[in-house]
Amino acid sequence: MANESHKLPIVNFTPEMKETHTLLVPMMLPIHFELIEGIIRQEGYKTELLRTNHKEIAEEGLRNVHNDTCYPALLIIGQFIDALKSGKYDLDKVAVFLTQTGGGCRASNYLSLLRKALHKNGFGHVPVASFNISAPTGAGGVYLRKRTLVKIVFSLMYGDILMRLHNQCIPYELERGSSQKVVDTWVAKLLEQMRGAKFTQTKANCKAILADFAAIQRDTSRTKMKVGIVGEIYIKYSPLGNNGLEQYLVDQGAEVINSGMLEFAMYRLHSMIHECKLYGGSLKRRIILRTIMNYFEKKQRELITIIKNSGVFDAPTEFIHTMNMCKGYLDFGVKMGEGWLLTAEMLELIHIGINNIVAVQPFGCLPNHIVAKGMSRKIKDNFPSANIVTIDYDPGASVINQENRLRLMLANAN
Amino acid sequence: MSYAIGIDVGSTTMKTVVLDSNGKIIEKSYQRHLSRVREVTAEHIKSLAHILDGQMLKVSVTGSAGLGVADIAELSFVQEVFAAAGAVNKELPETDVVIELGGEDAKIIFLRGTLEERMNGSCAGGTGAFIDQMATLMNVTVDELDELYPGHKRIYPIASRCGVFAKSDIQSLLNQGAKKEDIAASIFQAVVDQTIGGLAQGRAIKGNVLFLGGPLAFFKGLQSRFIETLELTEETAVFPELGPYFMALGSAFKAQQLPNDATVSFADLVEKLSRTQEAEAIKAVGQPLFANQNDFENFRNRHASVTVAETDIASYTGAAFLGIDAGSTTTKVVLIGEDDSILYRHYSPNGGNPLPIIREQIQEIYRLCGSRVHISAGAVTGYGEELIHAAFGLDFGIVETIAHYTAARHFNEKVDFIIDIGGQDIKCFHIKDGMVDSVVLNEACSSGCGSFVETFATSLGYSVSEFSAIAMQSKNPVDLGSRCTVFMNSSFKQAQKDGATIEDISAGLALSVVKNALYKVIRVRNADELGKNIVVQGGTFLNDAVLRCFETELGRDVIRLPISELMGGYGAALYAKHNASDKSNLISPENLEAFTHKSKATICNACANKCCLTINTFADGGRFISGNKCERGAGGKQNTEHPNLVAYKYDYVLNFPTYGTGRLKVGLPLVMNMYETIPFWSTFFSSLGCDVVLSEPSTRELYMKGQHTISSDTICYPAKMGHGHIESLLEKGVDAIFYPCMTYNIDEGISDNCYNCPVVAYYPEVLAANIAGLNKIKYIHLHIGFQNKKKFIERIADALKGVLPALRMKEIKTATDRAYEAYEAYSRHVAEQGQHALYYAKTNNLPVIVLGCRPYHIDPEINHGIDKLLCSMGFVVLTEDAVSHLVPKQNLGVLNQWTYHARLYNAAKFVTMNPNMEMVQLVSFGCGIDAITTDEVSEILRNSGKLYTQIKIDEIKNLAAAKIRLRSLEAVMHVTSSRSNKKEQPKVLVRSES
């Protein structure tokens, strides 16, 4: 350890590598990431979404990351190292893909932790690719043309709607797997559209998606308890991180409600705007941010109207409405991690009558001490019927303990 | 009509209740299942043939280990808290709150008002298993522990959050000679505190309280502690006869409500439960310990070939040297001859009181020595070092690391890594250039040592050696995880549920201990990091399964000596031999005969630390005081006042002048970043004419005042302390409390961004949402930053609008200017004071420690007086912010975006540029960001050949682990400086004894 040079050499992903190297992409949300992976692939990159889900991943993580680092970092890095060690890839022709996140949370250090881990395992020469927004010839990773960026934004929207409808169908489907089939068909269809220019037809697409889900044979007489999931983004979505939480809840006879990526993106945008208000910022910056925000808000309203008009499925709540829920609880200045959005989401769920809430987080997650655990009591005081269970995930936590607490929540479900 | 059976399979016990068709209880049972969950359940039901045969039965299973039974037997399952609530509603409907403690679970149910049910999280002790472990630690049965209770006089504070913390607190009390009665009471109190703090989380426990579960039914002491603490009466505290059976009963009630098609015959039920016995163990991950018999033989022979010379003391004449290792749970005594061969050896558990055993042992040695052998010198090491040193007049007291290294290098000159796993602790360190380097000890969250295996073995009905032998037969060690005991307990439950065999569980435990040591404590990535010549020692390595797992996991052979558990004592004896002078001070046989010892507990009032002292008095009138952090407590004078920046800063903040004119009484809590911004805010409000009131300095009592409103039990101690400070201000009757949210800190030009950590930034929000008293006064916790002065004025003016009427903009501007000046003056003063301290150290040739910490670590209740300890060891103590401005911004491998953490990196760099200076980093337990900074600071220091010393701090006041680290550090610094002074290499590492 002592002999290593302190600052590790950064091996960049160069444009030439586009032809030769396979990019390993970590999995978080199955539907969204399949779409994003597809888009990157269409840009001519060789990609592979890591779907591995075995015990050794966490072990690899434990060996390579400080054990007190948060669980998502441990899993993502463990998954990469595990893949590189698997012998499946030509180590001179493989790169790993991870984007830099910002903010005051320790998660912003994933990238440097990954570099360290690669180096320590003798994979120091494996390039770490990120998004590159500078120029087509620039180094760093996947070059994001404006057009590609727009595609990714759209794929988030499409991913959200597919995920939402899939969640609403799966507990009721008569033929097992029929909801997943609609998802798969649409992922393929949307990617095909993205090749061309047709993908912006959100209205038409959404209507067609809704019709396809509505056509699934469902037994709506089944009564299911509705359970909302909120929490740290990776643990909330990734089955690897939450030990298959969604599936477990569905198996236990619940319908899962999960908010989408669009809301998260809007929360980040809003934070940037609010930041200017609190600490100052240029007018130009504010106007640009506001314009993007307005666009998102408009798009979201469109989708909500379409879902509502179809009359079959539940629509998401408007962002601005969710946002206002947390007034009296937290200031919008709370912007690290999931920030005020998490509290607002819990309140929003209760507001629409879903009292059963699972709040998930990596063990010792700092922002969640504030926005989840720190606010639970006040929420319960104000809404006595709220049935909130907070669950910590980490490599040592046993599944039985987690399931026992989920069962307690389910036993009290209302 | 049918009978209803409720089966409750908990983590350690199985309970059943049978109701007849009228709902009357006709049978109930309570037994330990010793991990044979399925067999015991099936056997018990079979034994009830006389009442059940011929009846139609409805069955429901509950309990943490009951799920597996229910699934495979296809029986109905009900969650245990839900079951308990059902039974309570039916049996004792006037109950307001239910507290239920089980083997490894703790639950609380609020029935009045909002129904709320809570269970202990994944990080919680304070349960039946915890009491079991504590009893084992004290070498008494649990019943004896309860019998000790009525004799208690005082209660010591024991960290209640987690069994591991509590253990080390109790350990130190035992070693200081505190009375067992008092400790018993303190243990029960810790369970009570844990229940209130960890589970109630702010909701008051009042009204009729029903206590359920085994421990609460059986332990009178625990009952009494609960009644007293919750201020209950005989009427309001209910301990029902059915206490242990409530969940089984609730489960039986649930069974009654099952539809009729769920009815089974007795024969069917027996068949269903027997079926579960055949279920395959599914949770097996590891490989067998040995691939074949040959492998096993090789392993055995290789370790058998390592031997230590022994000489029969009866045939020996000449000088001898005594070594004592007064460990936390065991006492080791070794006597060696001039040829280093062992003349006498002894190893025994000390039941928490090493004095009588050592007295006996020295007497025995004197008897064996007769006039042929004379003891030329003696040395003592280990937790009880100071006490034994004082009691028996040994010549040397040495730090454990030195003792272990001395022993290890005796057997292998080239040893470069030593790991010692004892009963309570793991110690390991590298050897670089013949010096102890980078001492690593198990911290709060990384237990899993010898006593841990022992407790499990005992609970399963085996001795440790049997348990170890069984493990060697394992085909499929189970995976129990690699974190702290509490987590392992849960995995253990899971293995039980999955029906793993004892062999596989035992091997799994061995593997867990090893993985815990390697990945959690040492955090090794590959064998090469450890070294080529590894010596393993400590009693735990006598367990062959642990040894085997260690070698396999590392992929490298290691050396284990047959005296593995005695190495500390052997090393002490060798040390005594190398350093023997003419005459030994060892207590004479006559004085030994007359030796008596009394201990008395008291509290030192010399300063805010309020150390719990234990005064030991010996027959000759000699006294030894332990528990003190500085010389004053030990009855001596304060050491020559070396500069101490921690004290300087604390004093600066506490006595910061205010000049309000009574416009408004504004309270500022002494918490988190406020420690650094008090000069700013105090000046600001004074300038506006407000009277500034600070909260009381932190104490344990202050913490307890706010404990009930803490919303997250795993957040850091400094944040938790905030709840007490707010209570303190509320008591002082202030008009407003000001504690702003600060996402950003000051940009000091040494980082890429200037964030605060999420807890520092947003804790004011948590306080607002959880402390009811804050609704009654003005609580100003606006989000604000210092970076943009114009914005600052705009925001603060807005926030104060409703608070200070007739506030003029000009006033605010003036106040702001003064506040910024006051903050700059503070920074300047700290920097100047740092320069003075450096100059002082240089002119007096004193070693310097830069304490790398956070502004709030200057709080003596949070740093537990480590700065004073360092001063009393003769160091000049600086803080990170006193030197961080002396070097430019560091170019790092990690994202350098937090102001406080950037200071650490800079301070580390500064330390590398200065001789006779080292850094000690204080890390609060639960600090997620320090997972990053510790690695980084350590790399900066090591890359320049400096040592890295980290001290984890939490609620526990026990500084034993810190002392080992600091003394090892001191020893190395001493050698380094004498090497550079004399330009020669000393043969043996010597620490000057004072």
Side-chain angles (χ1 to χ4, degrees):
Chain A
M1 210 188 297
N3 299 329
E4 279 166 21
S5 67
H6 186 222
K7 183 147 168 136
L8 301 176
I10 291 178
V11 182
N12 264 326
F13 186 88
T14 60
E16 298 75 51
M17 291 177 181
K18 185 174 172 182
E19 306 300 324
T20 51
H21 282 57
T22 301
L23 273 171
L24 302 181
V25 183
M27 174 65 107
M28 186 169 85
L29 279 106
I31 302 170
H32 298 69
F33 275 47
E34 273 167 31
L35 285 168
I36 295 172
E37 189 222 5
I39 295 166
I40 300 178
R41 199 177 269 273
Q42 284 172 8
E43 294 292 305
Y45 295 89
K46 298 190 179 88
T47 55
E48 184 171 330
L49 203 51
L50 292 175
R51 288 164 204 279
T52 43
N53 190 355
H54 50 263
K55 188 96 190 163
E56 187 56 24
I57 292 173
E59 293 282 319
E60 237 2 297
L62 275 173
R63 273 195 282 273
N64 287 292
V65 187
H66 191 304
N67 287 192
D68 290 337
T69 304
C70 55
Y71 191 39
L74 207 127
L75 286 176
I76 292 172
I77 292 167
Q79 194 172 34
F80 278 139
I81 302 291
D82 174 71
L84 293 175
K85 279 188 179 173
S86 69
K88 240 181 101 182
Y89 309 98
D90 178 346
L91 293 175
D92 294 321
K93 288 185 176 140
V94 68
V96 294
F97 182 85
L98 193 67
T99 53
Q100 174 73 58
T101 58
C105 180
R106 56 183 164 158
S108 50
N109 261 301
Y110 282 14
L111 214 53
S112 46
L113 293 176
L114 172 63
R115 287 215 175 90
K116 262 192 198 177
L118 287 173
H119 200 80
K120 273 177 177 133
N121 284 279
F123 302 133
H125 62 290
V126 173
V128 179
S130 216
F131 281 122
N132 149 33
I133 44 172
S134 52
T137 50
V142 175
Y143 173 55
L144 272 189
R145 293 184 292 164
K146 234 185 227 139
R147 206 178 150 65
T148 324
L149 188 66
V150 174
K151 281 182 186 174
I152 289 177
V153 170
F154 272 78
S155 72
L156 293 183
M157 278 191 261
Y158 286 126
D160 280 356
I161 187 163
L162 288 172
M163 177 179 79
R164 190 169 271 278
L165 298 178
H166 176 249
N167 282 346
Q168 288 185 44
C169 284
I170 216 167
Y172 308 97
E173 63 184 15
L174 287 175
E175 191 192 326
R176 231 184 126 90
S178 48
S179 312
Q180 187 60 44
K181 210 178 278 169
V182 176
V183 171
D184 293 343
T185 316
W186 270 102
V187 167
K189 212 183 268 184
L190 289 167
L191 281 172
E192 199 41 53
Q193 289 185 9
M194 301 247 186
R195 265 186 213 288
K198 269 204 201 140
F199 64 91
T200 50
Q201 308 297 319
T202 45
K203 283 188 195 166
N205 275 334
C206 286
K207 279 183 189 156
I209 290 172
L210 276 163
D212 282 0
F213 275 102
I216 294 170
Q217 295 247 306
R218 286 162 300 145
D219 176 2
T220 43
S221 66
R222 291 179 192 167
T223 46
K224 299 281 177 186
M225 46 203 158
K226 293 190 174 183
V227 178
I229 303 178
V230 298
E232 187 279 329
I233 193 158
Y234 183 87
I235 297 293
K236 174 173 152 184
Y237 291 127
S238 162
L240 175 65
N242 60 32
N243 297 327
L245 175 64
E246 275 193 49
Q247 190 59 48
Y248 179 79
L249 290 172
V250 169
D251 290 347
Q252 295 296 317
E255 180 189 326
V256 171
I257 291 95
N258 220 338
S259 65
M261 284 296 285
L262 189 60
E263 281 94 329
F264 188 75
M266 289 167 88
Y267 147 73
R268 295 305 284 242
L269 261 176
H270 179 273
S271 291
M272 289 188 232
I273 298 168
H274 193 69
E275 183 105 321
C276 301
K277 205 168 129 194
L278 294 181
Y279 313 113
S282 74
L283 186 65
K284 188 183 161 201
R285 181 179 160 86
R286 270 194 246 193
I287 291 170
I288 293 172
L289 291 168
R290 195 61 246 177
T291 312
I292 305 174
M293 190 68 172
N294 288 344
Y295 179 75
F296 279 170
E297 283 175 359
K298 188 180 136 234
K299 273 287 165 201
Q300 200 197 27
R301 270 197 298 274
E302 263 176 39
L303 294 179
I304 292 171
T305 314
I306 295 171
I307 299 178
K308 276 193 179 151
N309 289 344
S310 80
V312 185
F313 298 104
D314 295 333
T317 318
E318 266 189 58
F319 177 77
I320 194 125
H321 185 269
T322 309
M323 183 179 116
N324 285 327
M325 294 302 299
C326 77
K327 281 194 175 149
Y329 288 82
L330 285 168
D331 190 282
F332 294 129
V334 178
K335 57 149 209 171
M336 296 182 197
E338 284 62 42
W340 57 261
L341 179 68
L342 201 156
T343 312
E345 280 180 359
M346 290 202 275
L347 289 159
E348 170 59 25
L349 283 165
I350 294 166
H351 182 73
I352 59 170
I354 297 164
N355 287 313
N356 314 309
I357 299 170
V358 187
V360 297
Q361 62 251 307
F363 180 80
C365 175
L366 299 182
N368 278 264
H369 281 307
I370 314 288
V371 297
K373 293 177 176 176
M375 296 298 134
S376 291
R377 176 169 178 233
K378 189 163 180 175
I379 295 176
K380 279 187 196 161
D381 282 352
N382 292 343
F383 302 97
S385 55
N387 179 22
I388 303 173
V389 61
T390 54
I391 300 193
D392 287 350
Y393 290 85
D394 84 349
S398 84
V399 178
I400 189 170
N401 226 325
Q402 293 163 348
E403 287 182 357
N404 203 7
R405 306 169 129 261
L406 288 170
R407 274 179 176 271
L408 177 59
M409 184 275 299
L410 292 169
N412 287 318
N414 50 46
Chain B
M1 289 300 280
S2 53
Y3 280 16
I5 305 177
I7 303 174
D8 172 15
V9 193
S11 49
T12 50
T13 56
M14 198 242 344
K15 284 83 60 179
T16 57
V17 165
V18 182
L19 301 177
D20 69 8
S21 45
N22 298 318
K24 204 175 131 259
I25 298 176
I26 52 169
E27 194 271 345
K28 59 182 200 293
S29 76
Y30 181 101
Q31 56 185 299
R32 291 204 169 222
H33 56 56
L34 301 176
S35 187
R36 295 165 45 242
V37 174
R38 291 161 190 180
E39 293 94 319
V40 170
T41 312
E43 277 161 25
H44 181 69
I45 294 298
K46 268 187 223 163
S47 77
L48 296 179
H50 60 289
I51 40 175
L52 298 180
D53 203 5
Q55 299 292 340
M56 289 313 284
L57 310 168
K58 286 180 179 177
V59 186
S60 181
V61 185
T62 188
S64 54
L67 189 55
V69 176
D71 273 356
I72 299 171
E74 290 169 342
L75 293 168
S76 142
F77 178 81
V78 52
Q79 210 280 343
E80 67 251 34
V81 178
F82 202 65
V88 172
N89 271 332
K90 206 154 174 174
E91 294 289 303
L92 296 158
E94 66 283 7
T95 305
D96 293 303
V97 184
V98 180
I99 293 175
E100 199 261 319
L101 298 185
E104 282 159 13
D105 313 300
K107 290 155 201 129
I108 197 162
I109 311 173
F110 294 96
L111 295 163
R112 280 294 158 271
T114 322
L115 176 85
E116 230 180 304
E117 297 165 337
R118 298 188 186 153
M119 295 170 60
N120 57 334
S122 46
C123 185
T127 57
F130 168 76
I131 300 173
D132 282 355
Q133 278 186 327
M134 296 307 125
T136 311
L137 198 66
M138 289 173 67
N139 208 14
V140 295
T141 66
V142 284
D143 295 331
E144 284 164 357
L145 187 76
D146 196 32
E147 283 158 21
L148 282 169
Y149 174 77
H152 79 277
K153 291 248 166 17
R154 62 167 294 180
I155 288 174
Y156 293 96
I158 292 180
S160 60
R161 189 180 80 216
C162 158
V164 184
F165 293 151
K167 257 190 201 170
S168 60
D169 275 7
I170 292 170
Q171 205 62 64
S172 93
L173 287 171
L174 285 171
N175 288 325
Q176 287 161 23
K179 282 170 64 184
K180 284 197 167 181
E181 289 80 1
D182 293 342
I183 297 177
S186 310
I187 290 171
F188 289 133
Q189 185 66 42
V191 174
V192 174
D193 290 345
Q194 169 60 27
T195 311
I196 298 171
L199 285 183
Q201 286 168 10
R203 206 164 150 177
I205 302 174
K206 51 185 183 208
N208 294 314
V209 184
L210 176 65
F211 294 91
L212 301 178
L216 278 164
F218 304 134
F219 302 132
K220 295 277 172 285
L222 190 56
Q223 295 183 354
S224 148
R225 285 325 311 154
F226 263 109
I227 293 174
E228 210 167 296
T229 311
L230 294 174
E231 296 173 1
L232 301 171
T233 62
E234 293 229 347
E235 288 74 44
T236 55
V238 186
F239 296 91
E241 210 185 313
L242 278 176
Y245 307 99
F246 253 74
M247 288 196 297
L249 184 65
S251 179
F253 287 150
K254 186 83 185 168
Q256 281 181 327
Q257 295 159 16
L258 290 173
N260 283 331
D261 59 6
T263 311
V264 291
S265 70
F266 178 67
D268 278 353
L269 178 60
V270 170
E271 185 276 320
K272 275 170 181 278
L273 287 171
S274 309
R275 192 195 308 165
T276 68
Q277 287 185 34
E278 290 150 23
E280 273 296 299
I282 42 175
K283 183 91 184 179
V285 187
Q287 293 173 334
L289 293 190
F290 298 98
N292 50 47
Q293 188 62 25
N294 206 13
D295 238 20
F296 178 66
E297 297 290 332
N298 283 344
F299 170 80
R300 184 143 284 186
N301 294 337
R302 181 159 49 79
H303 287 289
S305 69
V306 183
T307 56
V308 186
E310 299 206 39
T311 306
D312 183 4
I313 191 165
S315 65
Y316 180 79
T317 309
F321 308 90
L322 179 65
I324 297 173
D325 180 359
S328 52
T329 52
T330 54
T331 301
K332 286 78 87 172
V333 179
V334 174
L335 188 72
I336 60 170
E338 297 212 68
D339 59 351
D340 301 334
S341 68
I342 296 179
L343 301 173
Y344 179 83
R345 54 194 259 187
H346 175 83
Y347 175 90
S348 68
N350 57 30
N353 188 2
L355 285 169
I357 294 173
I358 293 175
R359 175 173 173 242
E360 232 170 70
Q361 287 304 312
I362 303 179
Q363 283 180 319
E364 174 69 5
I365 288 171
Y366 271 133
R367 195 185 62 76
L368 291 170
C369 288
S371 54
R372 285 172 293 110
V373 184
H374 77 273
I375 299 169
S376 300
V380 58
T381 185
Y383 269 106
E385 173 208 324
E386 289 159 313
L387 176 64
I388 304 301
H389 192 242
F392 299 113
L394 286 136
D395 302 286
F396 310 100
I398 60 174
V399 61
E400 282 116 301
T401 46
I402 302 297
H404 288 304
Y405 174 44
T406 310
R409 69 175 269 160
H410 180 75
F411 297 105
N412 185 340
E413 276 276 329
K414 288 185 292 186
V415 58
D416 48 14
F417 185 76
I418 297 170
I419 174 163
D420 181 287
I421 306 185
Q424 289 291 318
D425 34 43
I426 299 176
K427 289 183 276 285
C428 51
F429 44 94
H430 293 266
I431 304 296
K432 235 164 68 185
D433 306 331
M435 290 195 297
V436 173
D437 181 30
S438 60
V439 184
V440 180
L441 296 120
N442 56 323
E443 303 282 353
C445 193
S446 52
S447 184
C449 312
S451 68
F452 167 69
V453 178
E454 190 184 326
T455 312
F456 272 111
T458 319
S459 80
L460 295 173
Y462 294 88
S463 74
V464 180
S465 52
E466 281 166 4
F467 202 57
S468 149
I470 291 176
M472 305 300 273
Q473 312 297 323
S474 168
K475 299 273 176 298
N476 258 326
V478 292
D479 185 359
L480 297 170
S482 62
R483 292 194 76 154
C484 96
T485 322
V486 184
F487 291 115
M488 276 197 221
N489 278 335
S490 313
S491 308
F492 190 71
K493 264 188 242 173
Q494 172 120 24
Q496 285 181 328
K497 185 192 111 180
D498 293 343
T501 67
I502 298 290
E503 289 83 359
D504 294 341
I505 287 181
S506 177
L509 275 173
L511 195 60
S512 285
V513 166
V514 167
K515 281 191 175 172
N516 181 49
L518 283 176
Y519 304 126
K520 181 68 195 162
V521 181
I522 320 175
R523 304 209 293 96
V524 64
R525 288 176 180 92
N526 59 54
D528 294 328
E529 279 179 23
L530 292 191
K532 293 195 172 59
N533 298 285
I534 300 171
V535 173
V536 301
Q537 51 192 47
T540 307
F541 277 110
L542 289 177
N543 180 331
D544 281 339
V546 173
L547 180 63
R548 176 65 183 178
C549 290
F550 191 82
E551 289 188 339
T552 318
E553 198 61 34
L554 215 56
R556 174 162 296 184
D557 290 347
V558 300
I559 303 167
R560 178 199 62 185
L561 285 139
I563 56 161
S564 174
E565 81 284 20
L566 297 172
M567 293 288 271
Y570 190 70
L574 286 173
Y575 185 94
K577 187 186 149 207
H578 298 320
N579 297 285
S581 52
D582 298 344
K583 196 179 165 344
S584 174
N585 280 324
L586 189 68
I587 188 168
S588 68
E590 299 74 42
N591 287 346
L592 200 54
E593 189 59 43
F595 179 85
T596 58
H597 162 247
K598 271 195 201 124
S599 69
K600 198 179 118 215
T602 180
I603 290 172
C604 171
N605 286 315
C607 76
N609 278 79
K610 301 250 181 247
C611 302
C612 274
L613 304 181
T614 305
I615 303 176
N616 297 277
T617 317
F618 307 116
D620 58 358
R623 291 206 315 168
F624 172 71
I625 298 174
S626 61
N628 55 306
K629 308 220 164 73
C630 71
E631 306 301 318
R632 281 199 286 186
K637 284 193 298 287
Q638 181 75 312
N639 218 318
T640 10
E641 295 272 346
H642 293 326
N644 173 355
L645 256 289
V646 174
Y648 173 81
K649 280 164 62 180
Y650 188 61
D651 193 56
Y652 193 104
V653 167
L654 238 50
N655 299 311
F656 194 79
T658 61
Y659 48 94
T661 52
R663 191 178 191 179
L664 191 82
K665 208 167 157 190
V666 178
L668 301 178
L670 281 169
V671 54
M672 308 304 275
N673 54 332
M674 291 297 275
Y675 272 103
E676 189 167 273
T677 49
I678 290 280
F680 184 99
W681 297 116
S682 193
T683 306
F684 180 80
F685 284 107
S686 288
S687 172
L688 291 179
C690 300
D691 291 341
V692 174
V693 179
L694 298 186
S695 55
E696 285 299 304
S698 305
T699 55
R700 184 77 192 166
E701 292 70 43
L702 189 81
Y703 168 71
M704 295 307 287
K705 257 183 213 164
Q707 193 205 23
H708 64 286
T709 56
I710 293 169
S711 53
S712 183
D713 59 348
T714 47
I715 203 163
C716 62
Y717 191 51
K720 288 177 177 174
M721 191 57 94
H723 295 252
H725 284 284
I726 296 293
E727 295 292 344
S728 155
L729 287 173
L730 290 172
E731 276 175 14
K732 289 186 168 196
V734 293
D735 303 317
I737 293 178
F738 184 83
Y739 179 21
C741 292
M742 303 192 75
T743 298
Y744 298 99
N745 210 314
I746 299 255
D747 185 356
E748 298 181 341
I750 53 174
S751 53
D752 300 323
N753 203 332
C754 48
Y755 278 114
N756 276 317
C757 91
V759 180
V760 166
Y762 306 130
Y763 212 67
E765 300 272 19
V766 174
L767 296 173
N770 289 280
I771 302 179
L774 285 176
N775 297 327
K776 296 186 194 111
I777 61 155
K778 287 272 176 206
Y779 177 48
I780 311 160
H781 63 294
L782 80 160
H783 288 245
I784 197 163
F786 290 144
Q787 301 284 43
N788 182 331
K789 206 163 171 180
K790 207 176 121 215
K791 200 76 198 172
F792 174 89
I793 292 170
E794 180 190 318
R795 299 269 309 146
I796 196 83
D798 190 48
L800 295 178
K801 220 182 284 166
V803 189
L804 286 172
L807 187 62
R808 281 169 303 133
M809 208 52 184
K810 201 174 158 219
E811 286 179 287
I812 296 187
K813 281 186 179 153
T814 314
T816 303
D817 286 340
R818 287 190 185 157
Y820 273 81
E821 279 163 23
Y823 182 81
E824 277 156 26
Y826 166 75
S827 308
R828 204 169 53 239
H829 287 145
V830 170
E832 281 166 9
Q833 199 61 27
Q835 287 302 316
H836 287 160
L838 287 171
Y839 179 75
Y840 179 95
K842 202 164 185 185
T843 42
N844 294 292
N845 196 22
L846 289 168
V848 175
I849 293 288
V850 174
L851 208 52
C853 51
R854 304 281 153 77
Y856 41 91
H857 283 155
I858 62 171
D859 180 345
E861 171 60 25
I862 287 169
N863 67 37
H864 301 308
I866 283 171
D867 57 320
K868 295 201 184 83
L869 181 67
L870 283 166
C871 266
S872 74
M873 289 168 77
F875 289 106
V876 168
V877 180
L878 273 93
T879 49
E880 78 295 339
D881 55 345
V883 296
S884 58
H885 61 285
L886 298 173
V887 285
K889 181 182 145 191
Q890 295 303 293
N891 190 8
L892 302 167
V894 295
L895 210 56
N896 186 3
Q897 57 162 5
W898 293 280
T899 300
Y900 293 157
H901 315 112
R903 290 180 188 164
L904 292 173
Y905 304 142
N906 271 28
K909 180 69 189 171
F910 179 76
V911 166
T912 63
M913 292 152 59
N914 288 278
N916 211 15
M917 185 183 290
E918 295 286 344
M919 184 155 174
V920 172
Q921 190 180 1
L922 291 187
V923 174
S924 276
F925 182 74
C927 179
I929 293 188
D930 273 342
I932 313 234
T933 62
T934 49
D935 274 0
E936 210 53 31
V937 168
S938 142
E939 278 191 41
I940 297 172
L941 292 170
R942 278 155 196 282
N943 285 343
S944 303
K946 288 279 182 181
L947 301 156
Y948 176 66
T949 308
Q950 183 201 119
I951 293 177
K952 269 207 175 172
I953 45 175
D954 196 54
E955 306 176 22
I956 33 167
K957 283 195 175 257
N958 179 11
L959 287 183
K963 269 190 183 167
I964 296 179
R965 282 207 180 76
L966 296 177
R967 284 187 57 190
S968 302
L969 174 69
E970 187 192 15
V972 174
M973 282 179 84
H974 186 83
V975 173
T976 318
S977 82
S978 65
R979 273 187 198 179
S980 57
N981 287 346
K982 294 178 197 152
K983 305 249 184 249
E984 64 174 60
Q985 302 273 327
K987 277 205 189 84
V988 185
L989 198 155
V990 186
R991 197 180 82 86
S992 67
E993 296 300 326
S994 50

